[in-house]
Amino acid sequence: MTFSTGLPLTLWTTRLPSGEARAFLLDSLGVPDSYSTLFVTVTLRNAGKSVALQQATLNAINILYRHCQKQCIDLQLRFRQGQFLDRWEVEALRSSVQQSFGSEAKALAKVVELGKGKRGHVYPSAPVATKTQRGRLTYIAQYLGWLANELNAGREDDRSLEIAAMCQQIYAIRPPDLQRGEHVDKGRFTRAQNEVLNEIIEPGSDRNPFKCPVQLRNKLVVYLLRSLGKRRGEVLNIRLGDINFAAHRIDIVRRADDPNDPRERQPLVKTNEHSIPLYPELEDLIQEYMRVRRKIPGTRQHPYLLVTHQAGPTQGQPMTIEGMRKVFRVLKTCDPALRRIHPHLLRHFHSDTMARVQQQGPQTPQSRETARRTRNWLAGRRPESEVDAVYTRRAIEKEAADVSARTQRATMLHRRPPSEREF
C-alpha cells in the first residue's frame, strides 16, 4: 500500500508467511527497486530494526529519487564515475525534504479552474516538521554513503574520503536536533481539556459524535491510553489473556512479527515487557466492553481486545492503527479544546499527572530516585532512563508558578494604604 503522493515509486508494506513485515519501493510494474531493497535488507532488516524504520527510510529514499529526477542526476552513473554530490547539489536537497507528500499534499494539489486563476497553479502545502526533515536527511545521507561505497567497491583508487565528505555535508544541513522532551511542551493537554474530552467521550452523551455500537469501545480506547499512559501500538496489541482480573493487572507483551495477527500493519510494543495495576473503574469498563465484544461476529477468531464493529468483511477483526486514527480525527472536530488531540498526547498527560502526584509527597534524594524508577517501570523503560525528566521538571515549574502566584496574592493583601507608604 502507498503512503506517499507525487513520488516516482510506491512505498509498499507486506506480511511474509512467517509474520515478518517488510517494506519495499515498487516501480509502475510492481517490481522492487533493487538498491533500496538491498540497503534496507542489509542495514535494517538484518539488524532487527522495525518495519516503521524501514518505511521512514524508504520514504526518504523515494524523495531523494524524485529530487534527482527533477535535477537530472543519475546517481548510479555519477557514483561509478567517482562524481559525488557537491556542496550546491547537497544544499538543493533542503527544499525537497521539506515538502509534504502525504494525504494533505494530495488534497491541496488542485488545479485552478479556468477563469478563476493562473492555469496549472497548484496550492502549496505546509512544510513538514523539522524533526521529519532531519530524519529524512539522515536516512538520505546513510543511503548515499552506502550506495557510493557499494558502486565503488573493489576499485584501486580509494574514494572513501570523498564519499564521507559528501555524507558529512548532508548531515551538516540538517535542522538542529531538539533536546529530548522539548517537543512535549508544544502539545500540552490540560485538565480543562481533559474534562471536555470526558464529557464528549461518555456513551449516551449528546456531544458524543460516534454511533452507539462503538461509543463504549472508543471510551475504552481513550481510558487505556490516558489511564495507563500507553502508546497506541501497545493498546492495540492487548489480548484478552493479557488481562488478569484476579491479580488486578494488565501485561504489556512484545509480539513483533506475530503470524497470528491478521492486520497488514501490525501494532507494535516499543517498550520493554511489563505489568501495570488496574484500578477498579478501568476493570469494570474492560469487562463491560468484553460483554459487548462477544456478540460481534468474527471476534472468536482472534484474542485481541479492541475490535472493528462496522459491518463488512473486517467486522470483528482487531482494531487497526488507521481505525484509531479515525477516532481521534473525529474527536478533533468536536470541540476547539480538542483540535490538537492525538493518542500520544494522552500518554504525556498521564506522565504529567503521575509526576504531579509524586511531587506532592516528601522530596528526598531517595524518594525522588524511587519515583523516577517507578515511572520508568510503568512506562516500560529501563530503570535508569532519564527520558521522563521533562515531566518532573514541568511538575516543579507548575508548583513554582503556584507558589509565586500565592506569594504575590499575599503581598498584595498586606500592602499598606497610600498614606502610610514611604516615599
Side-chain angles (χ1 to χ4, degrees):
M1 84 185 144
T2 181
F3 290 91
S4 52
T5 301
L7 294 173
L9 301 177
T10 300
L11 180 58
W12 183 67
T13 304
T14 187
R15 295 284 296 279
L16 303 181
S18 64
E20 179 187 358
R22 287 294 310 274
F24 303 90
L25 287 179
L26 306 183
D27 62 16
S28 58
L29 300 178
V31 178
D33 176 65
S34 56
Y35 280 109
S36 64
T37 300
L38 181 59
F39 171 72
V40 166
T41 301
V42 171
T43 64
L44 300 180
R45 186 261 182 185
N46 291 352
K49 303 299 182 181
S50 68
V51 69
L53 182 58
Q54 296 178 36
Q55 292 170 341
T57 301
L58 289 173
N59 189 53
I61 295 173
N62 209 1
I63 293 171
L64 170 67
Y65 286 171
R66 176 183 181 273
H67 174 81
C68 290
Q69 284 184 354
K70 294 182 67 176
Q71 300 295 323
C72 299
I73 298 174
D74 187 330
L75 282 176
Q76 296 182 31
L77 178 62
R78 289 270 304 268
F79 285 3
R80 286 193 177 98
Q81 294 175 346
Q83 300 175 8
F84 307 108
L85 300 185
D86 59 33
R87 186 177 64 177
W88 307 113
E89 290 173 322
V90 167
E91 184 67 30
L93 277 170
R94 284 182 189 269
S95 59
S96 292
V97 300
Q98 290 173 351
Q99 295 182 44
S100 172
F101 299 97
S103 57
E104 293 182 1
K106 183 178 181 180
L108 289 170
K110 302 174 182 176
V111 178
V112 176
E113 297 179 17
L114 294 178
K116 294 187 177 181
K118 182 179 178 182
R119 182 181 301 179
H121 173 73
V122 176
Y123 295 104
S125 58
V128 298
T130 54
K131 182 179 179 181
T132 303
Q133 296 174 32
R134 183 179 177 85
R136 287 175 175 178
L137 286 169
T138 299
Y139 304 142
I140 287 173
Q142 293 170 348
Y143 175 66
L144 288 177
W146 173 87
L147 180 63
N149 282 299
E150 187 74 15
L151 295 176
N152 285 273
R155 295 186 62 89
E156 294 181 0
D157 54 329
D158 186 6
R159 297 173 174 174
S160 58
L161 292 179
E162 299 172 69
I163 296 172
M166 174 186 65
C167 296
Q168 191 58 42
Q169 288 176 351
I170 299 175
Y171 288 131
I173 67 170
R174 295 180 300 174
D177 187 19
L178 292 176
Q179 294 297 316
R180 187 184 295 275
E182 286 185 9
H183 63 283
V184 177
D185 289 324
K186 296 181 179 179
R188 297 291 297 273
F189 190 70
T190 65
R191 280 178 279 186
Q193 291 172 314
N194 187 51
E195 292 176 3
V196 173
L197 177 61
N198 285 337
E199 179 184 351
I200 290 174
I201 205 66
E202 186 63 30
S205 169
D206 294 337
R207 302 189 64 189
N208 196 312
F210 303 105
K211 296 180 180 179
C212 290
V214 295
Q215 287 185 357
L216 181 63
R217 184 204 64 184
N218 293 346
K219 177 182 177 180
L220 179 58
V221 167
V222 169
Y223 273 56
L224 288 171
L225 290 166
R226 184 181 58 191
S227 301
L228 303 181
K230 298 294 101 183
R231 294 179 174 87
R232 65 183 183 185
E234 295 166 340
V235 168
L236 293 173
N237 191 59
I238 295 175
R239 292 181 176 181
L240 300 178
D242 297 334
I243 306 168
N244 189 331
F245 292 109
H248 309 290
R249 74 164 189 266
I250 185 168
D251 298 327
I252 304 299
V253 183
R254 297 173 65 93
R255 300 188 179 93
D257 300 327
D258 183 1
N260 297 317
D261 191 331
R263 290 168 287 199
E264 183 176 350
R265 186 183 177 190
Q266 182 189 5
L268 299 175
V269 173
K270 187 177 180 181
T271 57
N272 299 326
E273 295 186 357
H274 58 288
S275 298
I276 308 173
L278 285 177
Y279 65 95
E281 290 80 0
L282 185 55
E283 277 191 2
D284 294 342
L285 183 59
I286 293 174
Q287 291 178 331
E288 183 181 0
Y289 176 69
M290 288 173 63
R291 289 191 289 269
V292 174
R293 180 188 180 279
R294 294 191 196 103
K295 302 176 183 178
I296 302 174
T299 55
R300 295 182 182 274
Q301 300 175 7
H302 65 85
Y304 292 95
L305 173 64
L306 299 169
V307 300
T308 300
H309 289 235
Q310 185 175 1
T314 61
Q315 186 177 33
Q317 291 295 300
M319 187 179 187
T320 62
I321 292 176
E322 180 55 35
M324 183 176 289
R325 282 179 176 167
K326 183 177 180 181
V327 170
F328 280 84
R329 281 199 297 266
V330 174
L331 287 175
K332 287 175 184 285
T333 66
C334 295
D335 192 282
L338 303 181
R339 67 185 182 278
R340 295 181 179 176
I341 192 172
H342 55 83
H344 211 73
L345 197 60
L346 298 183
R347 175 176 168 86
H348 294 324
F349 179 76
H350 172 270
S351 297
D352 279 335
T353 304
M354 181 162 47
R356 186 169 58 249
V357 169
Q358 291 179 327
Q359 201 68 28
Q360 295 172 356
Q363 296 300 305
T364 65
Q366 183 177 359
S367 66
R368 284 193 292 269
E369 176 62 17
T370 301
R372 181 173 69 88
R373 289 178 172 269
T374 299
R375 292 192 300 272
N376 285 336
W377 169 259
L378 293 175
R381 295 186 289 259
R382 293 178 291 104
E384 65 277 6
S385 173
E386 296 289 345
V387 170
D388 75 330
V390 62
Y391 302 110
T392 307
R393 187 197 72 212
R394 293 203 313 208
I396 294 173
E397 289 176 353
K398 179 65 168 59
E399 177 63 21
D402 291 343
V403 170
S404 177
R406 290 196 300 268
T407 303
Q408 293 177 43
R409 192 178 303 112
T411 57
M412 292 295 289
L413 290 174
H414 291 86
R415 62 183 178 179
R416 290 180 293 177
S419 59
E420 301 180 11
R421 292 179 186 170
E422 297 179 359
F423 294 96

